[in-house]
Amino acid sequence: MASSLSGIAASAGAQIRARREQRGMSSAELARRAGLSKATLSGLESGRSNPTIDTLDSVAVALGVPLTDLLVPAADSGPQVVRATPVADSPQQEMLRRISGGHQVEIWRLRLPADTTYDGVPHATGTLEHLMVASGEVSAGPTDALVELGPGDLLAFPGDAPHSYRTTSDPADITVVMTSPMIG
């Protein structure tokens, strides 16, 4: 049981540190806002202490995120592809991606002509891009790891690094959902 508790504490600590750093907040400022000592916050971020729910709630409020965001392990920041599934004869509902709270969400339509390369500018630290291809084929994602996508495919990747979109001989219609950490 102790190892599972320490795993949860380490995960929560990593989330606290990541969220604090995304906001450009010092540990002293977060401790002040949460009503904690700097030593207590340091113990939380390092995973050396097992926080109470009340303590985590105070930190979550100070960071402006839901408490549950601090209790989930950090997601792998590499690209995540969800391939299209066959269409059935009955209604289908598929959860493609859950986006946790504490983010600003923007939804964009990206229409690219045939044989086009579009280089995305890196966004703010912690930004994620989620692409859903409506039509056409596109190679997209981190510039050094492009993924081939077709209609119905979904790709999620860190948008805070260089990234590109490249179409084939057909145009592409893509829905882009960008999530960026809330500041302040």
Side-chain angles (χ1 to χ4, degrees):
M1 182 74 158
S3 65
S4 117
L5 282 178
S6 63
I8 293 169
S11 179
Q15 287 289 353
I16 292 167
R17 174 175 278 135
R19 305 293 175 141
R20 177 180 61 76
E21 290 174 350
Q22 287 171 344
R23 286 155 179 71
M25 191 183 300
S26 70
S27 55
E29 177 63 13
L30 177 56
R32 184 189 68 73
R33 288 184 184 190
L36 304 172
S37 71
K38 288 191 285 185
T40 299
L41 181 62
S42 175
L44 291 174
E45 286 191 350
S46 68
R48 290 188 317 261
S49 63
N50 286 319
T52 66
I53 293 296
D54 287 339
T55 299
L56 285 177
D57 186 54
S58 295
V59 172
V61 168
L63 289 169
V65 300
L67 173 62
T68 55
D69 280 11
L70 302 181
L71 299 175
V72 295
D76 178 10
S77 61
Q80 298 173 10
V81 179
V82 178
R83 297 288 179 194
T85 56
V87 177
D89 292 333
S90 58
Q92 288 177 273
Q93 182 177 331
E94 298 175 76
M95 183 175 75
L96 299 176
R97 181 95 170 137
R98 174 171 282 135
I99 301 169
S100 63
H103 287 84
Q104 175 176 312
V105 178
E106 296 178 352
I107 301 172
W108 296 80
R109 174 176 291 133
L110 178 61
R111 291 185 174 145
L112 298 173
D115 301 312
T116 298
T117 297
Y118 180 78
D119 293 321
V121 176
H123 305 287
T125 301
T127 297
L128 296 174
E129 287 200 24
H130 305 78
L131 311 180
M132 173 70 94
V133 179
S135 65
E137 293 181 354
V138 64
S139 297
T143 304
D144 60 354
L146 296 178
V147 177
E148 302 288 327
L149 302 168
D153 288 344
L154 177 127
L155 171 67
F157 63 91
D160 56 6
H163 51 282
S164 298
Y165 314 87
R166 294 186 184 135
T167 57
T168 61
S169 58
D170 293 317
D173 190 350
I174 305 163
T175 298
V176 180
V177 178
M178 290 187 4
T179 60
S180 303
M182 298 285 282
I183 305 297

